[in-house]
Amino acid sequence: VFHRENPTVEEYCEKWLLMRSGTVRTNTLEGYARMVNRYIVGPIGQMYMDEVTTDDLRLLMVPLSKGSSGMYGQLNMLIKNIFNSAEESKVIKENPSKTICARGGKPAKRREALTDEQTAILLDSIRELPPYVFVMIGLYAGLRREEILGLKWDCVFLDEKTPYISVRRAWHVEGGEPVVNTLLKTPAAKRDVPIPKCLVACLKEEREKSESEYVISNSKGTVLTETQFVRVWKYITVRSTAERCYYTYVNGQSIKHRIKPRLGEHQPNNPKLVYTMDFKVTPHMLRHTYITNLIYKGVDPKTVQYPAGHENIKTLGYPVFSRVFTPCQQHTLPHSFIYIQCYYRYTFASSGEKVLTFKTRIFSHSSSVNSLSSCILFKRNSAILYRTSFAPLSIISPLFPPTI
């Protein structure tokens, strides 16, 4: 029952979720519902919408202030969307969420790409094992996890002059069951990705053995479930030296034990299993490694954006370059490009023109790192120009999000 004149928070949240159901994917809506029910409906669900104050909403954010900034930001987004909708519909006269700050929570740990040595160790450790093909596709085609799990052989073109993978489907979980459809993460995710010889050879060998329409399938030839994927990935995690726990039961009581495997040791219960990796690997790290390697090779950002399937170059820009190019790393780059590690801020020239001032370390063609105090960015005809003291004016593709 929804009371139009004076609904409770629980009633309006239920209505808002129903309105959103037509514009978001099922699993996204389920995620929204879990957060709304736990962090909004639970504490203040019985309050009337017009009774909720800004202080009430700030108190809702407190439990997540010690969690990740991503969760904090998502709850902030949900609160603002719900109360903005209520204000637009004249359910409330004043919106208590307007002054809620989105900044909070602990910043996410920086994602690191695998080094060449780590990549070689990973592949040697899992060769001939179930996750091998998945890992090869992630490392050498840069597909997302859902794109790899939803990949069918009719989208793998190995006999063309330039072999490629056509990304047209994605794997999702709806109601606990795996679903493969054409609903990709963004329109840019629909792409054709050229693949190197090592991946071509791997996929040809796998295709000869496969009896399934899916490149990655279970023993029945159908798409993997979430649980089955976790089991497949465990072939990797059990070979790492990460600390782990196990329990024993004595007289009905559980006793927790911690073990820290050493590199090169054999697992006591399975002597054939050797701890070979002293680094962590996640499915997304494979894709991150693929993108990072393209940048290391000097591929310009606008070109990298296409095989990465990024709708916006901002996703690829500043964070990637500030990590890839550091003072201790020198790379040979195309002479028409200058790569910059920097932070930025807006300033105003004496003429009143708005400019963007950088504190930078600049990597130029075949040169060492050059430290400069600042660099002024201009925008002309959709190109970005960097004027430096050690090189003539160089035109490069846009790398950074601010727009003047």
Side-chain angles (χ1 to χ4, degrees), residues 63-337:
L64 287 180
S65 61
K66 296 180 180 179
S68 70
S69 58
M71 289 285 286
Y72 189 96
Q74 187 175 34
L75 179 60
N76 181 279
M77 176 272 294
L78 289 171
I79 289 173
K80 288 192 173 182
N81 282 351
I82 289 169
F83 282 88
N84 286 343
S85 176
E87 184 182 31
E88 291 171 1
S89 301
K90 311 298 182 184
V91 173
I92 56 177
K93 294 180 180 179
E94 294 185 6
N95 186 348
S97 70
K98 284 184 177 179
T99 57
I100 301 296
C101 182
R103 293 190 298 272
K106 296 179 180 178
K109 292 182 179 179
R110 195 173 74 178
R111 290 172 178 166
E112 299 289 349
L114 297 174
T115 65
D116 291 344
E117 182 183 2
Q118 289 172 338
T119 299
I121 292 172
L122 171 62
L123 293 176
D124 288 342
S125 300
I126 61 170
R127 201 174 301 275
E128 305 297 333
L129 294 177
Y132 183 74
V133 176
F134 180 97
V135 170
M136 285 290 290
I137 296 173
L139 285 172
Y140 295 108
L143 272 60
R144 299 176 175 92
R145 182 183 76 146
E146 62 267 25
E147 294 168 350
I148 299 176
L149 294 179
L151 183 63
K152 295 184 178 181
W153 288 112
D154 63 358
C155 287
V156 180
F157 300 90
L158 304 178
D159 301 318
E160 301 293 326
K161 184 177 180 180
T162 301
Y164 67 95
I165 291 175
S166 184
V167 181
R168 296 296 183 270
R169 304 181 185 92
W171 170 94
H172 309 285
V173 176
E174 296 181 5
E177 295 296 325
V179 175
V180 175
N181 54 35
T182 56
L183 188 60
L184 302 176
K185 185 174 182 179
T186 66
K190 184 179 180 180
R191 62 201 189 278
D192 297 329
V193 183
I195 55 178
K197 293 180 180 179
C198 61
L199 181 54
V200 172
C202 172
L203 291 175
K204 281 184 176 180
E205 183 179 348
E206 183 65 19
R207 187 173 61 180
E208 290 177 1
K209 299 184 296 184
S210 177
E211 297 180 356
S212 171
E213 62 177 335
Y214 291 98
V215 176
I216 308 294
S217 63
N218 57 27
S219 58
K220 297 180 180 179
T222 58
V223 66
L224 294 184
T225 64
E226 178 74 38
T227 302
Q228 287 171 337
F229 177 76
V230 171
R231 289 175 182 169
V232 167
W233 196 256
K234 200 169 183 179
Y235 281 93
I236 296 175
T237 58
V238 297
R239 286 166 169 77
S240 75
T241 57
E243 185 178 82
R244 59 203 70 185
C245 302
Y246 70 94
Y247 293 85
T248 58
Y249 293 87
V250 179
N251 297 327
Q253 293 184 338
S254 64
I255 302 174
K256 186 177 182 179
H257 302 270
R258 292 180 181 273
I259 59 171
K260 175 67 175 175
R262 294 182 180 179
L263 199 63
E265 286 185 342
H266 293 257
Q267 190 183 63
N269 298 331
N270 184 3
K272 293 182 180 180
L273 196 154
V274 182
Y275 299 115
T276 55
M277 297 182 293
D278 58 355
F279 51 90
K280 183 180 179 181
V281 183
T282 66
H284 188 77
M285 284 179 69
L286 308 177
R287 171 175 165 80
H288 188 63
T289 300
Y290 169 81
I291 294 171
T292 303
N293 285 338
L294 289 180
I295 296 171
Y296 274 145
K297 295 296 184 182
V299 181
D300 74 274
K302 199 65 180 176
T303 302
V304 174
Q305 183 185 354
Y306 177 78
H310 285 148
E311 190 170 23
N312 196 321
I313 201 169
K314 296 178 186 179
T315 311
L316 182 66
Y318 167 70
V320 173
F321 287 90
S322 65
R323 291 197 296 272
V324 170
F325 301 107
T326 61
C328 62
Q329 296 170 324
Q330 299 178 17
H331 304 278
T332 301
L333 304 174
H335 72 277
S336 59
F337 289 88

Side-chain angles (χ1 to χ4, degrees), residues 15-72:
K15 179 182 180 182
W16 182 84
L17 288 168
L18 182 61
M19 291 188 293
R20 293 292 290 162
S21 63
T23 58
V24 298
R25 294 188 300 192
T26 302
N27 56 342
T28 302
L29 185 67
E30 289 173 353
Y32 286 172
R34 284 193 296 269
M35 286 205 74
V36 167
N37 291 330
R38 181 174 179 180
Y39 296 108
I40 302 176
V41 173
I44 63 170
Q46 298 308 310
M47 293 179 66
Y48 290 106
M49 286 291 290
D50 59 2
E51 293 177 344
V52 179
T53 65
T54 301
D55 285 347
D56 293 324
L57 298 182
R58 287 190 177 125
L59 288 172
L60 294 181
M61 306 297 294
V62 172
L64 287 180
S65 61
K66 296 180 180 179
S68 70
S69 58
M71 289 285 286
Y72 189 96

